[in-house]
Amino acid sequence: MLNSCVKKKQKKNGATTRTATQKIATLALDGTEDPKEGNKVEEDGIDNMGEVYGKVDTFVTKVEEKVTPPEDDCTKYGNCAPDPVDPTPEDPKPVNPNPWDDVTPPTKPDGSLDVGNGCTTSTMDALDSIGLTNYFLWRQENETLYQRLGEVRDNPELEGLWFRGIAGKNKWDKGKRHFENKYYGIQIGLDRVHQTFTNEYKCREVDGEDAPCRRVPATDWIYGFGLTYMKGQSKLANGGSGDNWIGTLSFYGTRKFQNGGYLDLIVKGSRLNNEFTAISDQFRYLSKGKYHTYAFQASVEYGNKHYLNKDKTWYVDPEVQLTYGHIKGVKYRTFNALNVDVHNLNSLIGRAGIGVGKEGKKGSAFVKVDALREFKGEYKARYHLDHGAWNKSRISMKDAWGEITVGGTYNFRKDTYGFVQAKRSFASDLKQEYRVDAGIRYVF
């Protein structure tokens, strides 16, 4: 389950003697080492997984012969079990000077763990994939102002209650880790405007001849909060599956400037839950479990809308955004006695984009292209069994990618406005195959 290269060895005449039994499947699902004869799990088939769940071994081969250490022997990679210290009269109960926690396999130049041929495990890969689904679903909370409020920044009178539906699909297929995660969710929010005014008035032709002129605001802030619930369903390698959800409370403030610029500030706190079934290659091991953790985000976004014609209908809107986030580490134990320690994860994502759109009396439409980069993200986890055997993984989430978005708004009635957008990523390790946001705003 953790490392097929972990063996106990005895040196004798330059060769290695494997004492007792060699367990091809290495360790049991329930953590014990009582050898039992039996069929391979993959021969029984996935339909009979419930019958073999919790068994110690998939099959056992007994050998009593001297063999030459293979190229993937654990002595080459430094992850063998420490040799015990023999007792002496001075020290009848010696302490192992090389505990498992101090045995560190080497790393490759790219930072990944160099555990050698045959030492990586599909169980670890599946559990890593489960952790990544949480990270990527949480990253979907890294939203832009338009996703959350539509065009409210251009018309402060649109303050009020808003509702948004979300649906999307993420896909990750890199190395030995794979998942597809479809998610959907809802978000509701309430915001209010705080304004002070000058003695000047401004009229817009686009509002119509009979539309009244409006006083020019001196300061213009929108304050509000939102509640989000998103649920995802994952497909993992070998038929594994996962269900995850995230609940978020957010607070935001948006400042509009007279030159067409805006500043958007937002903070969020989230709870992430995951329940999963991970299946190893050849269906040897079935690992079930569930856990939850917490996360927060803080984001600042600035943009400046520039009109391209006198009627102020066509515009170009450059934007920049910086988001910092933190996912708290978590420890959990699978039903087959595998202990997992996921480290804290820090994230810093920058975004620069430009949008082009057109506004009219009944609504607006736009297209936008963004470039994003994750500067800090790194997923790290340590896996160990009760008897001490361990392994660990480290996955760099640093990446650069692009997104293309199309959307618009529509004025249904004087007090009811709708907004929608759809986007897709490109040139990224994580493929955001689609995400659709659609919402309604009701003005009090």
Side-chain angles (χ1 to χ4, degrees):
M1 195 185 329
L2 290 181
N3 194 327
S4 61
C5 296
V6 175
K7 314 176 189 73
K8 294 185 178 181
K9 304 177 298 306
Q10 289 183 346
K11 296 292 183 180
K12 182 177 181 181
N13 297 328
T16 299
T17 301
R18 297 182 183 177
T19 60
T21 60
Q22 175 194 20
K23 294 186 178 179
I24 304 301
T26 67
L27 295 169
L29 294 183
D30 61 3
T32 64
E33 295 188 357
D34 181 23
K36 298 179 182 178
E37 299 291 347
N39 296 327
K40 297 181 184 178
V41 174
E42 61 268 28
E43 293 176 354
D44 291 338
I46 188 64
D47 293 336
N48 298 322
M49 184 62 76
E51 299 177 8
V52 301
Y53 177 73
K55 282 189 177 179
V56 168
D57 43 60
T58 55
F59 70 93
V60 175
T61 301
K62 296 182 178 180
V63 293
E64 295 290 349
E65 60 180 348
K66 298 178 181 180
V67 296
T68 303
E71 284 299 315
D72 62 353
D73 190 86
C74 56
T75 56
K76 178 179 178 180
Y77 298 98
N79 54 0
C80 299
D83 294 328
V85 176
D86 295 330
T88 63
E90 294 78 13
D91 188 8
K93 296 182 179 180
V95 178
N96 192 331
N98 299 306
W100 277 103
D101 287 344
D102 295 333
V103 181
T104 304
T107 57
K108 298 178 181 179
D110 64 359
S112 61
L113 190 65
D114 185 3
V115 293
N117 179 32
C119 296
T120 59
T121 70
S122 54
T123 296
M124 290 175 56
D125 294 334
L127 296 179
D128 285 342
S129 298
I130 291 162
L132 294 178
T133 62
N134 262 0
Y135 165 77
F136 287 122
L137 185 62
W138 171 76
R139 203 170 80 177
Q140 300 308 309
E141 284 285 293
N142 182 19
E143 59 192 7
T144 66
L145 175 62
Y146 187 89
Q147 284 177 263
R148 187 174 70 255
L149 299 181
E151 290 295 302
V152 68
R153 71 171 189 260
D154 297 318
N155 188 352
E157 293 182 359
L158 297 186
E159 65 177 0
L161 181 68
W162 52 272
F163 167 86
R164 178 162 65 113
I166 306 165
K169 179 181 179 181
N170 293 332
K171 183 177 180 180
W172 171 275
D173 192 0
K174 186 177 181 182
K176 297 182 179 180
R177 300 173 181 94
H178 165 82
F179 72 79
E180 292 184 4
N181 183 243
K182 290 184 178 180
Y183 61 91
Y184 53 91
I186 59 173
Q187 187 176 62
I188 59 173
L190 178 68
D191 47 51
R192 301 293 292 173
V193 173
H194 175 74
Q195 291 179 304
T196 61
F197 297 91
T198 68
N199 293 324
E200 299 180 20
Y201 287 81
K202 182 173 67 174
C203 305
R204 299 199 316 170
E205 294 182 7
V206 69
D207 293 332
E209 296 181 359
D210 299 331
C213 298
R214 299 176 181 176
R215 293 182 65 182
V216 176
T219 60
D220 191 346
W221 277 95
I222 302 173
Y223 301 101
F225 72 93
L227 296 171
T228 307
Y229 175 81
M230 286 199 294
K231 181 176 176 60
Q233 295 178 331
S234 301
K235 293 181 180 180
L236 307 174
N238 303 318
S241 62
D243 292 306
N244 58 333
W245 62 262
I246 178 174
T248 300
L249 172 64
S250 59
F251 297 91
Y252 57 87
T254 302
R255 170 74 185 273
K256 181 182 177 182
F257 301 97
Q258 297 307 306
N259 65 353
Y262 67 89
L263 178 69
D264 185 42
L265 307 173
I266 183 168
V267 293
K268 302 180 180 183
S270 303
R271 170 166 168 154
L272 298 88
N273 280 56
N274 212 323
E275 186 170 352
F276 58 85
T277 298
I279 303 172
S280 68
D281 288 348
Q282 299 178 331
F283 311 118
R284 293 179 179 234
Y285 297 109
L286 179 69
S287 301
K288 292 186 176 183
K290 59 182 178 180
Y291 65 90
H292 72 269
T293 187
Y294 298 91
F296 75 86
Q297 277 186 354
S299 172
V300 56
E301 176 186 351
Y302 179 79
N304 196 323
K305 179 177 287 189
H306 302 276
Y307 288 100
L308 303 177
N309 58 349
K310 293 183 179 180
D311 294 336
K312 293 187 176 181
T313 55
W314 287 94
Y315 68 87
V316 60
D317 188 7
E319 303 171 349
V320 292
Q321 183 180 17
L322 187 66
T323 303
Y324 174 78
H326 175 84
I327 301 179
K328 186 176 181 295
V330 61
K331 295 181 180 181
Y332 65 91
R333 181 179 174 90
T334 65
F335 292 176
N336 54 346
L338 175 59
N339 304 295
V340 184
D341 182 1
V342 180
H343 295 200
N344 294 331
L345 188 151
N346 296 311
S347 171
L348 182 65
I349 298 176
R351 180 182 67 87
I354 186 167
V356 177
K358 183 178 181 181
E359 297 176 342
K361 295 181 180 180
K362 296 296 293 183
S364 64
F366 75 93
V367 60
K368 184 174 65 171
V369 177
D370 293 302
L372 300 96
R373 181 172 181 82
E374 167 66 91
F375 294 98
K376 290 180 63 67
E378 185 176 58
Y379 179 87
K380 295 189 291 185
R382 187 178 186 276
Y383 303 87
H384 64 96
L385 298 175
D386 293 339
H387 84 295
W390 69 279
N391 209 331
K392 62 183 180 181
S393 61
R394 182 172 64 189
I395 306 168
S396 175
M397 309 309 299
K398 294 180 181 179
D399 191 16
W401 68 98
E403 292 179 348
I404 184 168
T405 308
V406 295
T409 64
Y410 188 78
N411 306 334
F412 294 102
R413 297 187 309 182
K414 185 177 180 180
D415 60 355
T416 307
Y417 300 79
F419 55 93
V420 63
Q421 75 166 30
K423 69 178 179 178
R424 179 183 176 93
S425 69
F426 57 92
S428 60
D429 290 335
L430 171 75
K431 294 179 175 60
Q432 186 180 68
E433 298 195 342
Y434 65 87
R435 169 168 170 161
V436 178
D437 297 70
I440 292 289
R441 171 173 289 275
Y442 178 74
V443 180
F444 293 132

